Amino acid sequence: MTNQEILRTALQQSSWDCGCRPDDFLSSENKSVLRGENRRTRADLPLPVPGLLVSYGSNIVASINPELKETIEWYISKYPAVHCFEPPHTAALQEKLEGLSYKVCFASEYFLPDIRLVTEYSCRYEIRLLTPEEFESCYTEEWSNALCKKRKHLDMLAAGAFLDGRLIGLAGCSADCENMYQIGVDVLPAYRRQGVAAAVTSRLASSIFRLGKVPFYCAVWSNLPSVRNALKCGFRPAWTELVIKEGEFVDDLNR
């Protein structure tokens, strides 16, 4: 698998998520499309999504409900694409959304592996690959980034770090897309900064490649330990997303 094949796979998935063409993300012009239903949409997107702004660095593709069309087209035409995913401009968007009962919700950065840089790391602890049956008991709060209890059926494989038989770090992958598996990672606080996250992440990424799938990784900009882990394991920033949701949904998250 080459880096170009990896990128094409991600662009295809984003086109399904937004309801556009893969090449739309490579244009220098912003584009808005009305959202439709697509069974190939990523499983981790909080459907229904009234508004989804996606950028691979060249422009913004906005996939929106009809009632958001005027507001979002104003927004992506007023500010440079690179600044539309961060304050203070998102505050201006929020002001416009208040009268429509919507709010800015998630802003995330997504990483794809650079095949030239992907390396398997080791650490002082035992690393083992785990099947769904073997990590069935791990759907607890301490492993909630690596595994998703709401979508257990999509968790395909995990890499665990063990000390004397006790799980101290876990990377899990979810089949959130047809051709891509998303990696999530947790390490117990007492064992952080010891290379555990890189060891389990890199082992899992290599295993995903062997399954014929593309591993991908998500982090918010402020989660520096997670971003550093992605970079160490050979992942590089690929695209960004801004999700707009109903106001009640956002309010529930903040309670």
Side-chain angles (χ1 to χ4, degrees):
M1 193 177 296
T2 67
N3 283 340
Q4 284 301 313
E5 289 171 335
I6 290 170
L7 177 59
R8 284 198 297 268
T9 299
L11 289 169
Q12 178 64 76
Q13 183 58 52
S14 291
S15 76
W16 290 332
D17 295 338
C18 291
C20 63
R21 298 181 299 108
D23 287 347
D24 288 337
F25 299 101
L26 305 180
S27 170
S28 60
E29 301 293 328
N30 293 331
K31 182 181 181 68
S32 66
V33 295
L34 296 181
R35 288 197 66 78
E37 293 187 5
N38 191 327
R39 294 183 180 180
R40 288 178 161 180
T41 299
R42 276 197 346 258
D44 64 310
L45 279 174
L47 298 176
V49 180
L52 175 65
L53 277 60
V54 179
S55 177
Y56 277 75
S58 299
N59 68 343
I60 294 176
V61 174
S63 179
I64 48 180
N65 283 355
E67 64 268 27
L68 289 175
K69 180 177 174 62
E70 181 178 351
T71 297
I72 297 303
E73 289 185 348
W74 163 82
Y75 183 63
I76 64 177
S77 64
K78 181 175 178 60
Y79 302 111
V82 69
H83 295 305
C84 282
F85 296 82
E86 63 180 8
H89 298 327
T90 52
L93 174 59
Q94 183 59 62
E95 289 181 4
K96 292 283 189 178
L97 291 173
E98 285 179 358
L100 301 172
S101 299
Y102 293 110
K103 291 185 177 182
V104 175
C105 190
F106 302 114
S108 304
E109 185 171 22
Y110 288 83
F111 298 76
L112 290 173
D114 184 330
I115 201 69
R116 301 165 299 180
L117 303 175
V118 172
T119 303
E120 278 198 29
Y121 289 96
S122 60
C123 63
R124 66 170 67 181
Y125 306 106
E126 177 191 7
I127 306 296
R128 297 203 309 256
L129 289 177
L130 305 173
T131 64
E133 294 76 16
E134 292 172 309
F135 56 70
E136 174 63 34
S137 62
C138 297
Y139 286 94
T140 59
E141 183 62 29
E142 59 191 353
W143 310 119
S144 59
N145 290 312
L147 303 173
C148 181
K149 191 173 184 179
K150 292 182 179 179
R151 302 191 303 273
K152 291 174 64 173
H153 63 290
L154 297 178
D155 289 334
M156 299 287 106
L157 189 67
F162 293 85
L163 172 62
D164 298 328
R166 179 194 175 207
L167 184 64
I168 55 120
L170 185 67
C173 66
S174 177
D176 289 340
C177 317
E178 183 176 318
N179 299 308
M180 303 171 67
Y181 285 0
Q182 182 168 192
I183 294 177
V185 189
D186 287 295
V187 178
L188 296 182
Y191 301 95
R192 293 171 184 170
R193 296 181 178 270
Q194 298 180 40
V196 175
V200 294
T201 300
S202 61
R203 177 72 65 86
L204 184 59
S206 295
S207 300
I208 294 170
F209 274 126
R210 285 193 288 271
L211 294 173
K213 306 295 183 180
V214 173
F216 72 107
Y217 192 108
C218 177
V220 296
W221 294 277
S222 57
N223 191 345
L224 296 183
S226 184
V227 171
R228 284 194 292 265
N229 180 56
L231 296 176
K232 181 176 181 179
C233 294
F235 288 79
R236 292 296 180 263
W239 78 93
T240 59
E241 292 184 358
L242 186 73
V243 174
I244 297 168
K245 287 286 293 179
E246 295 82 359
E248 290 183 0
F249 179 89
V250 179
D251 291 342
D252 285 341
L253 292 177
N254 287 327
R255 289 193 179 100

